[in-house]
Amino acid sequence: MINIGTNAIITLISHVIFIWLSFNLLQVVDWKKIYNKTNPKMLQLLVAFIAIALGYTVSSFFMSIFSLSQNIALLFK
């Protein structure tokens, strides 16, 4: 039961870190060239949603690789 809780905390922290990283990386893009609307709040919301989707996807990928490497290690015990 402790292992499940630890895994949940690691997954949550990983998601938050990768969402934060992707949000910071998306700040480099000049979105005003792509999005020519007059409402900047909608542009900020769009960037936040893209950051959440990208961060979650990258975090899930790394958590999957981590889980698979643990399972492969069990083969050799």
Side-chain angles (χ1 to χ4, degrees):
M1 207 55 142
I2 293 175
N3 190 18
I4 295 172
T6 305
N7 192 15
I9 290 172
I10 291 171
T11 303
L12 181 65
I13 291 171
S14 173
H15 287 338
V16 169
I17 288 172
F18 278 106
I19 289 170
W20 177 76
L21 280 173
S22 63
F23 182 77
N24 285 332
L25 289 173
L26 289 173
Q27 296 301 313
V28 176
V29 177
D30 187 16
W31 292 98
K32 300 206 182 213
K33 289 182 180 176
I34 300 169
Y35 186 81
N36 289 329
K37 304 290 182 192
T38 58
N39 194 353
K41 292 193 187 246
M42 292 303 287
L43 179 60
Q44 292 172 350
L45 187 62
L46 175 67
V47 171
F49 282 150
I50 292 171
I52 291 169
L54 182 63
Y56 176 79
T57 304
V58 173
S59 176
S60 295
F61 170 75
F62 280 111
M63 292 306 295
S64 177
I65 294 294
F66 179 70
S67 175
L68 289 172
S69 67
Q70 284 182 333
N71 291 340
I72 288 174
L74 292 175
L75 268 172
F76 301 108
K77 284 188 175 184

